[in-house]
Amino acid sequence: MIDKRILILTDFDGTIIKKDVGVALVKNFGPKNWENYEKKWIQREMSSKYVLTFYYESMFQSTQSTRKFIDFIDKNIEIDKNFYDFYNYCKRNKFEIYIISDGMSFYIDFILHKYKLDGIPYFSNLYIDNGDSIKIEFPYYNPKCGMCGNCKTNHLDKLLDKNTYVVYIGDGYSDRCISEKVDLVFAKNDLEKYCIENNINYIKYNDFLDVFRVIKSKFN
């Protein structure tokens, strides 16, 4: 048993949600050359702030409709159903849980509401639909680094205190920096590769059932 405040931080796309919502959207609605921008971001040649702005402005220009994105998400995107048991366990045990995402607010809002998980606080990039145009804002951008639109490490620093044990759950490139600064990392896909390459201790998981089992055994 760990006698500390327990802080659970989790990514959204590809973790709580089975697919990466942003990638699914850009594959379906985005410009033909979107993969070139993705590669440049992965290789740290371009900020996700720039890439995401380009993606969503291009997609909105071609569709003139955020509603089309929402309808696509509603039909094609599913939550990891195992997340419910994990989340309810965290609530019962008074573990603090936050979603930290380099994705967009409009689809996080929609999905959390759809699955009756509105009570989970989250930090993400902002997508503002003005009717005939959209505006993309990055309130948590860190210019000192500049690689991600939403700096996850900054959120960690603000939420952390000396008596905190931090768990992070992620799967992708925006999870790289924060994975180096927490007590326990659950990783898969690209985050797992990063942990291996950089000698970061982690626990491999496939879904939230794996995460739940480990957390229960560790904190009970």
Side-chain angles (χ1 to χ4, degrees):
M1 185 70 180
I2 296 173
D3 187 23
K4 286 187 175 183
R5 167 191 174 222
I6 308 301
L7 178 62
I8 310 284
L9 305 177
T10 178
D11 180 45
F12 189 75
D13 294 83
T15 50
I16 294 175
I17 304 305
K18 291 182 179 181
K19 295 180 181 179
D20 186 310
V21 182
V23 171
L25 286 172
V26 79
K27 280 182 176 179
N28 197 71
F29 299 102
K32 293 180 179 179
N33 61 339
W34 72 270
E35 289 177 306
N36 295 332
Y37 288 83
E38 193 81 2
K39 288 176 183 176
K40 289 183 178 182
W41 176 66
I42 290 169
Q43 294 167 358
R44 296 182 183 264
E45 296 175 7
M46 189 176 286
S47 169
S48 69
K49 177 182 177 182
Y50 180 86
V51 173
L52 290 168
T53 301
F54 169 70
Y55 284 170
Y56 284 95
E57 287 182 348
S58 298
M59 290 192 293
F60 188 84
Q61 286 172 9
S62 67
T63 63
Q64 293 295 305
S65 173
T66 302
R67 185 70 246 174
K68 288 185 179 180
F69 305 156
I70 294 293
D71 290 343
F72 175 84
I73 292 166
D74 194 26
K75 294 175 184 176
N76 295 280
I77 301 298
E78 295 181 352
I79 195 171
D80 176 356
K81 296 292 177 59
N82 299 294
F83 181 74
Y84 285 107
D85 287 338
F86 172 76
Y87 176 56
N88 288 328
Y89 172 83
C90 290
K91 285 202 300 183
R92 286 195 305 271
N93 288 275
K94 295 182 169 50
F95 298 165
E96 295 177 46
I97 182 166
Y98 295 85
I99 294 168
I100 307 180
S101 171
D102 205 22
M104 289 294 162
S105 56
F106 81 96
Y107 66 73
I108 297 176
D109 280 336
F110 173 77
I111 292 170
L112 291 181
H113 180 71
K114 176 181 177 178
Y115 289 103
K116 297 179 173 57
L117 293 166
D118 310 69
I120 304 176
Y122 76 86
F123 302 100
S124 75
N125 306 310
L126 299 182
Y127 175 105
I128 302 166
D129 188 337
N130 296 312
D132 59 350
S133 65
I134 61 167
K135 186 176 183 181
I136 308 298
E137 294 185 352
F138 300 89
Y140 308 113
Y141 178 68
N142 179 5
K144 291 181 180 178
C145 170
M147 290 315 303
C148 294
N150 181 14
C151 180
K152 299 187 177 187
T153 301
N154 272 3
H155 294 297
L156 172 64
D157 292 342
K158 291 176 182 177
L159 293 167
L160 198 60
D161 62 36
K162 292 180 180 179
N163 192 44
T164 302
Y165 185 94
V166 184
V167 177
Y168 189 77
I169 306 146
D171 77 311
Y173 291 103
S174 67
D175 305 311
R176 289 177 285 191
C177 295
I178 194 171
S179 68
E180 300 177 9
K181 299 186 176 184
V182 299
D183 298 293
L184 178 63
V185 178
F186 288 90
K188 63 180 177 179
N189 301 334
D190 295 311
L191 178 59
E192 181 182 14
K193 293 175 187 176
Y194 181 78
C195 289
I196 293 169
E197 291 168 358
N198 292 275
N199 297 313
I200 298 169
N201 291 327
Y202 74 98
I203 295 175
K204 180 180 176 62
Y205 75 102
N206 294 306
D207 55 31
F208 266 91
L209 180 59
D210 296 333
V211 176
F212 185 31
R213 285 170 173 165
V214 173
I215 294 296
K216 279 179 68 177
S217 65
K218 194 170 188 69
F219 297 115
N220 277 347

